[in-house]
Amino acid sequence: MTDHDTIPVLAHDLVKRFGDFVAVDHINLEARAGEVVGFLGPNGSGKSTTIRMLCGLLRPSAGQALVAGFDVARKPEQVRRRIGYMSQKFSLYNDLQVIENIRFFAGMYDVPASVLHERTEWVLYMAGLVGRESTITGTLPGGWKQRLALGCAVLHRPSILFLDEPTSGVDPISRRRFWELIHAMAAEGVTVLVTTHYMDEAEYCNRLVLIFQGRIVASGSPTELKQQAMAGELLLIECDRLGPALDLLQQVPDARHVALFGKALHVVVPDAQTGIPRLRAVLSAHGIAVSRIEPIRASLEDVFVSLTAQLSGQRT
Amino acid sequence: MLRRLHEMLVKEFIQVFRDTRTRTLLFVPPIIQMLIFGYAATLEVRHIPIAVLDYDNSQVSRELLSRFTASPYFDVRTYLSDRREIGDLIDRGEVTVALQINGGFAQDLGKGQTARLQVIVDSSNSNTALIAVSYINQIAARFAQEFQRTQLLRTSPFAPSQMPSIVFERRPLFNVNFDSQWFFVPGVIGNLILVMVVSLTAFAIVREREIGTLEQIMVTPIGRLEFILGKTVPFFLIGLFDTALVSLVGTFWFGVPFRGSIGVLAIGSILFILCMLGIGLFISTISRTQQQAMVSGFFFNMPAISFSGFGTPIGSMPEWLQTLTYLNPLRHFLEVLRGVYLKGVRLDVLWPQMVAMGLLGSIMLAISVARFQKSLD
Ligand SMILES: Nc1ncnc2c1ncn2[C@@H]1O[C@H](COP(=O)(O)OP(=O)(O)OP(=O)(O)O)[C@@H](O)[C@H]1O
Ligand SMILES: [Mg+2]
């Protein structure tokens, strides 16, 4: 267990280069005990690379990271005893039985014999695999596999948990169960760093870190992020002829982040009170019938889409 | 430490022995390969397909030809009547040798003149060609000698029945019948163990890297040495078992005599398998995928086998290459195998080979262990 005064995860100007390519570019990060920190970012933005450096699997090219108070580059073994890690790929042995996987990883983590039975039972219980101990792991459905992998990663009761896309390819109900487990652990003081592509999951995090091309571009609680990133108010517009409407709104000076969301448009305006009548007028003037226009709460997806759109525009 | 190693070994053995296919793969192919190579890898040439063309058609010429039909080394396939057919037959590979007895053969012989026997050989396989020619020489020489003797007896019945003649008598020291299977079978054992142990070890680690379990193991506190031991000990034991298995096939199926001591063979095998584990481990540290491991394995196996004295005798290689072969563990192991099998020699003779393998193995293992890092860079 970590002392109360050491910060479980602390990264300072962490850099990872692969040859000339900078995969992680001066990342600063801090996670406190019991916090669930979500990493969001498009494919290839450097999420896995960051987590791997924090686990001591990759050596940072520059910068420093302290996990459980130990420098990951200098004392990776000390770090490893204190963390649990689920890699992005499913990485239990598919050809072993459920119970054999549990025993194997318990052995790797040196789980004391006195608590082995209890921990094993606990993993089986939380993965919903009681009575299926001798099932071959590879034949389990995705959701069960992921819970078993989580169980195997926390057999030694680590105080810090790194989860790299733990729920990819898992059905919504299993995902929800998985997140309940994460929150139960966080409630006991475990620090969780988790990457995900699911926006609904991001809402479950205490804090979010948005990574884009190796850099942190925004961070904060989900609520903070939505307010910050969306300086202004988000409007939903339903109308006919979406295409021309989109083109039209992009010409309006104050309207920003015009984007198509399903069968509607999202637009950000500085103020809803004055914005709504103005946009309605513009659209009607061009013969577009507006059936609905109202302020809505921004979803994280809006934040995510608008931020990455903005940044892509700047960088390329 | 021991607990983690124990868990690693339990896991490895479960993985190897649970799957029927893997289980079969470990033990059946070595036996089959031993059988195939044992038969194929032999210098001895038998049943050489031959065509004969007898223009003389005399009793004497037929007598000579019957020597060929009776010989185990030749299979007379066709009797020709025109020499123009020969080229075509050889081109199509239907016969390797054509024998042409010209008209007047018996007559010349009767007059005590030199009778000519024409031999046309397909020398695209020069080895077979040379051997075939030497067999033909032997048969012809013996025939001539016997012909002379009967001739002599007929003309002067009181002459000594024993003709003075020099017969080259081969008296090999160890391989009494020049049975090349005896020479090759120990070599095949060495090759099989090399290929098996190197690829099994390399694949076992690279496969874990490929499916991602290696990454998961690396974040546990397991030590480098524990992991490496966990991965190599099973293949060490399997390698040893396979050595015993193919050796038994060599002894009981091919009847290669086992003149030496099992203890000496065991020491040699252990040292050799350690060398191969070192190589396999090294390959696993430079390969990201199983495909890369396969290619790297190939680049090691080919020269290791070619320059071991398995087929080409080391003595017939250029000087500098001969020196290089001392770095090849297979060279030493083959000397041990042949020494133990065919000569029955012991450690007092084979110790240099043992020391060499011990050194090479230690160096290779040390390099590989040093290269094997618990990280993904
Ligand atoms: N070992 C490596 N060698 C070279 N480049 C690498 C290596 N590992 C990752 N990269 C590159 O670094 C970048 C970041 O990869 P990373 O796996 O961290 O992305 P990610 O955010 O996890 O993406 P995803 O959502 O697809 O998992 C990618 O462009 C990737 O190609
Ligand atoms: Mg990733």
Side-chain angles (χ1 to χ4, degrees):
Chain A
M1 288 284 126
T2 359
D3 320 356
H4 284 292
D5 40 325
T6 56
I7 297 165
V9 181
L10 190 61
H12 181 66
D13 276 343
L14 210 53
V15 176
K16 182 67 190 178
R17 292 187 203 93
F18 296 111
D20 287 339
F21 177 71
V22 185
V24 172
D25 194 359
H26 294 90
I27 277 190
N28 290 288
L29 195 72
E30 192 182 309
R32 306 202 160 265
E35 208 175 13
V36 179
V37 178
F39 267 38
L40 294 176
N43 291 124
S45 54
K47 306 181 294 289
S48 301
T49 308
T50 307
I51 286 198
R52 283 178 174 150
M53 281 193 283
L54 295 176
C55 294
L57 283 170
L58 285 174
R59 279 187 78 84
S61 311
Q64 197 192 29
L66 298 179
V67 171
F70 294 97
D71 188 318
V72 293
R74 291 209 209 101
K75 296 253 187 325
E77 293 306 323
Q78 294 296 330
V79 170
R80 285 184 187 127
R81 279 168 211 289
R82 292 165 176 82
I83 61 165
Y85 169 63
M86 256 178 88
S87 73
Q88 189 168 345
K89 267 189 192 172
F90 175 74
S91 47
L92 298 183
Y93 292 96
N94 272 322
D95 49 350
L96 292 192
Q97 295 172 359
V98 168
I99 191 77
E100 287 164 346
N101 264 311
I102 298 177
R103 273 197 215 120
F104 175 74
F105 283 100
M108 292 301 106
Y109 281 112
D110 237 339
V111 174
S114 53
V115 293
L116 181 59
H117 181 74
E118 171 221 326
R119 300 265 172 97
T120 308
E121 292 297 306
W122 174 75
V123 170
L124 288 171
Y125 169 76
M126 74 115 187
L129 289 168
V130 178
R132 300 180 69 177
E133 291 84 352
S134 42
T135 308
I136 297 293
T137 307
T139 63
L140 291 174
W144 275 260
K145 272 190 186 177
Q146 293 305 95
R147 285 201 295 272
L148 179 62
L150 177 65
C152 287
V154 297
L155 273 165
H156 56 304
R157 294 286 153 92
S159 55
I160 303 163
L161 197 50
F162 295 100
L163 307 172
D164 198 354
E165 290 188 36
T167 54
S168 60
V170 171
D171 69 74
I173 294 169
S174 298
R175 265 166 51 198
R176 180 160 300 213
R177 267 201 70 181
F178 195 91
W179 275 91
E180 283 165 10
L181 290 171
I182 293 179
H183 278 286
M185 284 189 249
E188 288 172 19
V190 176
T191 307
V192 183
L193 251 85
V194 55
T195 72
T196 180
H197 280 298
Y198 297 110
M199 292 304 148
D200 56 332
E201 290 188 354
E203 305 268 3
Y204 298 144
C205 298
N206 302 128
R207 201 147 54 80
L208 292 174
V209 174
L210 257 67
I211 305 189
F212 186 72
Q213 294 184 355
R215 292 195 197 184
I216 295 183
V217 291
S219 74
S221 72
T223 328
E224 280 169 1
L225 265 188
K226 284 179 228 167
Q227 288 169 351
Q228 232 178 61
M230 289 289 166
E233 275 178 277
L234 183 68
L235 300 182
L236 172 117
I237 302 172
E238 281 179 10
C239 57
D240 58 359
R241 298 200 288 137
L242 283 173
L246 184 77
D247 293 337
L248 201 59
L249 290 177
Q250 274 166 346
Q251 313 296 322
V252 179
D254 289 343
R256 290 178 298 119
H257 308 320
V258 188
L260 202 57
F261 267 77
K263 288 194 173 129
L265 296 169
H266 284 192
V267 186
V268 176
V269 289
D271 177 45
Q273 290 267 296
T274 56
I276 292 177
R278 209 150 47 84
L279 293 187
R280 194 188 283 276
V282 171
L283 289 171
S284 336
H286 289 79
I288 295 170
V290 178
S291 51
R292 191 168 154 212
I293 178 162
E294 60 190 29
I296 52 161
R297 275 188 51 204
S299 71
L300 272 175
E301 195 157 353
D302 291 304
V303 178
F304 189 74
V305 168
S306 73
L307 262 176
T308 44
Q310 235 170 309
L311 290 162
S312 305
Q314 279 169 20
R315 294 210 178 179
T316 49
Chain B
M1 155 92 194
L2 281 180
R3 165 140 185 239
R4 276 197 277 266
L5 181 54
H6 172 250
E7 291 295 335
M8 274 295 289
L9 291 178
V10 168
K11 180 214 109 196
E12 290 297 323
F13 278 110
I14 292 176
Q15 287 187 308
V16 167
F17 290 103
R18 168 156 304 148
D19 183 26
T20 330
R21 233 190 61 202
T22 323
R23 208 169 33 201
T24 326
L25 271 178
L26 289 179
F27 306 113
V28 176
I31 296 181
I32 294 175
Q33 284 173 17
M34 181 69 191
L35 292 175
I36 294 172
F37 285 129
Y39 280 117
T42 152
L43 275 180
E44 209 171 43
V45 184
R46 284 171 192 257
H47 304 292
I48 302 167
I50 185 171
V52 293
L53 176 57
D54 186 0
Y55 282 127
D56 194 42
N57 214 355
S58 62
Q59 199 200 330
V60 180
S61 68
R62 279 196 297 275
E63 167 67 21
L64 174 61
L65 288 181
S66 73
R67 301 284 174 106
F68 283 90
T69 10
S71 163
Y73 299 114
F74 295 101
D75 267 354
V76 178
R77 290 281 164 86
T78 37
Y79 293 87
L80 306 174
S81 52
D82 190 337
R83 59 171 304 152
R84 276 168 300 189
E85 297 170 66
I86 294 175
D88 193 38
L89 274 176
I90 288 186
D91 283 347
R92 280 184 282 136
E94 280 178 28
V95 299
T96 310
V97 178
L99 205 61
Q100 180 181 334
I101 303 176
N102 289 330
F105 180 79
Q107 220 172 347
D108 287 346
L109 222 50
K111 282 191 262 170
Q113 285 173 353
T114 310
R116 291 189 190 279
L117 181 66
Q118 204 173 336
V119 180
I120 301 109
V121 186
D122 171 10
S123 46
S124 53
N125 180 345
S126 56
N127 197 25
T128 312
L130 275 177
I131 294 168
V133 170
S134 85
Y135 287 153
I136 294 171
N137 262 331
Q138 276 176 32
I139 291 175
R142 185 166 308 151
F143 177 80
Q145 210 172 51
E146 282 172 24
F147 182 85
Q148 227 169 347
R149 187 186 301 156
T150 37
Q151 212 52 358
L152 207 66
L153 281 171
R154 204 181 308 156
T155 49
S156 47
F158 306 109
S161 61
Q162 202 66 27
M163 275 274 301
S165 71
I166 300 166
V167 176
F168 166 60
E169 205 172 319
R170 302 182 297 183
R171 179 160 295 185
L173 208 45
F174 300 110
N175 188 352
V176 183
N177 299 322
F178 273 105
D179 202 328
S180 61
Q181 252 166 15
W182 288 14
F183 180 71
F184 271 104
V185 165
V188 171
I189 297 176
N191 286 357
L192 276 179
I193 300 308
L194 174 135
V195 175
M196 287 283 291
V197 177
V198 170
S199 37
L200 281 178
T201 315
F203 276 80
I205 297 174
V206 175
R207 191 170 51 234
E208 289 219 28
R209 176 170 293 147
E210 229 175 27
I211 60 179
T213 46
L214 189 63
E215 185 168 338
Q216 198 65 46
I217 293 184
M218 278 176 172
V219 290
T220 74
I222 192 173
R224 219 165 43 163
L225 218 56
E226 291 167 310
F227 178 79
I228 291 175
L229 280 176
K231 276 314 236 193
T232 50
V233 167
F235 297 113
F236 175 79
L237 296 176
I238 289 167
L240 219 49
F241 184 84
D242 277 338
T243 312
L245 205 63
V246 291
S247 302
L248 287 175
V249 175
T251 310
F252 291 107
W253 186 269
F254 291 111
V256 179
F258 190 85
R259 298 205 169 97
S261 102
I262 292 187
V264 178
L265 181 63
I267 296 174
S269 309
I270 288 172
L271 292 173
F272 179 66
I273 292 172
L274 285 178
C275 296
M276 295 306 105
L277 289 176
I279 300 283
L281 206 55
F282 183 81
I283 291 175
S284 79
T285 66
I286 56 169
S287 318
R288 300 225 153 258
T289 63
Q290 298 191 57
Q291 224 160 359
Q292 287 173 359
M294 199 162 82
V295 175
S296 315
F298 184 75
F299 274 114
F300 166 76
N301 293 349
M302 281 301 283
I305 292 173
S306 309
F307 303 118
S308 64
F310 171 68
T312 318
I314 291 184
S316 63
M317 295 173 190
E319 199 80 28
W320 61 272
L321 201 54
Q322 290 191 29
T323 318
L324 270 184
T325 60
Y326 284 107
L327 294 176
N328 183 356
L330 185 60
R331 176 212 161 121
H332 303 293
F333 188 46
L334 288 193
E335 283 170 354
V336 170
L337 280 167
R338 284 170 184 157
V340 170
Y341 260 96
L342 305 177
K343 302 186 199 167
V345 291
R346 292 174 170 275
L347 278 183
D348 52 342
V349 176
L350 291 174
W351 68 267
Q353 281 80 2
M354 300 293 189
V355 171
M357 284 195 288
L359 277 177
L360 289 170
S362 314
I363 295 171
M364 287 170 202
L365 280 171
I367 294 177
S368 311
V369 172
R371 270 193 61 88
F372 190 90
Q373 291 297 331
K374 267 186 79 183
S375 88
L376 301 170
D377 305 74

